[in-house]
Structure formats: structure tokens, C-alpha cells
Amino acid sequence: QVQLLESGGGSVQAGASLRLSCVFSGQPFKNYAIGWFRQAPGKEREFVAIINWHGDMRDYADSIRGRFTISRDNAQNTVYLQMNSLKVEDTGVYYCAADEDPEYRNSRGYAYWGQGTQVTVST
């Protein structure tokens, strides 16, 4: 049974940085691609970033490209989302998700989800 645990969220001012972590357990980590999604109040869950199992393929949503960086440490079974130059519109609950063969930007294409971590960005 795959389990995902996010951490690192918080309340910050616009322009600040945060690093989110997603710890994976229950299955061989190297078999899974990991995605980050977020959901703002009253909005649908949206794709943020994805990294494949090898770490040599990354994709980002246009809204965060150049500000966020996804990475993974396979020795630690952990994926990170470094978020710089945060904006108010980045506010939401951030989820990591795992699948062996995901439909990259489609949240329905992921079998496993964490509980989420709240990110709040204020002016």
C-alpha cells in the first residue's frame, strides 16, 4: 500500500520561498512518477509539476514555470517542490500524487494521494 506524506507548507508573504516535501512509502519508490497538484478554495485541483522515476524528465504548469523546481532523492524516497517568488495566487492546499504510469497533468491519472499541506501567501 503506497503512502504519501506532504510537509513544508506554511503562511508566508509574497516573494518568499517554501520547500515542500513528499515522503513515499509502501512500494519501490523507483517505479513511480510523482506529481504535485494544488487546490485553491472554490477551484478545481490543478497540475503543478511532475517528475519521472529517473528524475530526468520534469514538467511544469505555465503559471509556476521558472519559480518552482521539482526534484527527487531516491535514496530518501522523497520528492521536493522548491517554491520561490511566491505569489498570492499560489495559495492553496498542495498535494503530491504517485503512479507507475500517470497521465501527467490529469489528476485522475494518479492512483495514490497524500493528505495535502496548506500554503498561504499574503501581501
Side-chain angles (χ1 to χ4, degrees), residues 78-121:
T78 302
V79 170
Y80 302 100
L81 186 68
Q82 178 67 44
M83 307 188 296
N84 298 330
S85 303
L86 282 161
K87 303 177 180 180
V88 171
E89 51 264 42
D90 294 320
T91 294
V93 179
Y94 282 69
Y95 300 90
C96 64
D99 200 277
E100 291 181 282
D101 187 20
E103 297 179 43
Y104 283 8
R105 295 179 173 228
N106 184 355
S107 62
R108 296 184 180 88
Y110 292 77
Y112 304 102
W113 290 83
Q115 293 299 307
T117 185
Q118 176 71 44
V119 172
T120 303
V121 185

Side-chain angles (χ1 to χ4, degrees), residues 35-57:
W36 283 98
F37 290 78
R38 67 186 182 188
Q39 189 165 18
K43 295 188 177 182
E44 292 188 354
R45 193 169 297 187
E46 65 173 357
F47 168 78
V48 175
I50 182 175
I51 188 166
N52 70 345
W53 70 271
H54 196 267
D56 60 353
M57 190 290 297

Side-chain angles (χ1 to χ4, degrees), residues 4-74:
L4 301 166
L5 182 62
E6 304 96 334
S7 63
S11 296
V12 298
Q13 290 193 320
S17 297
L18 284 172
R19 188 177 78 158
L20 305 184
S21 299
C22 171
V23 178
F24 176 102
S25 62
Q27 290 289 331
F29 184 50
K30 66 179 179 64
N31 293 348
Y32 288 80
I34 305 294
W36 283 98
F37 290 78
R38 67 186 182 188
Q39 189 165 18
K43 295 188 177 182
E44 292 188 354
R45 193 169 297 187
E46 65 173 357
F47 168 78
V48 175
I50 182 175
I51 188 166
N52 70 345
W53 70 271
H54 196 267
D56 60 353
M57 190 290 297
R58 299 174 177 87
D59 191 24
Y60 298 95
D62 290 343
S63 60
I64 58 87
R65 194 183 304 273
R67 299 188 296 121
F68 292 11
T69 302
I70 190 170
S71 61
R72 68 190 288 161
D73 182 343
N74 285 347

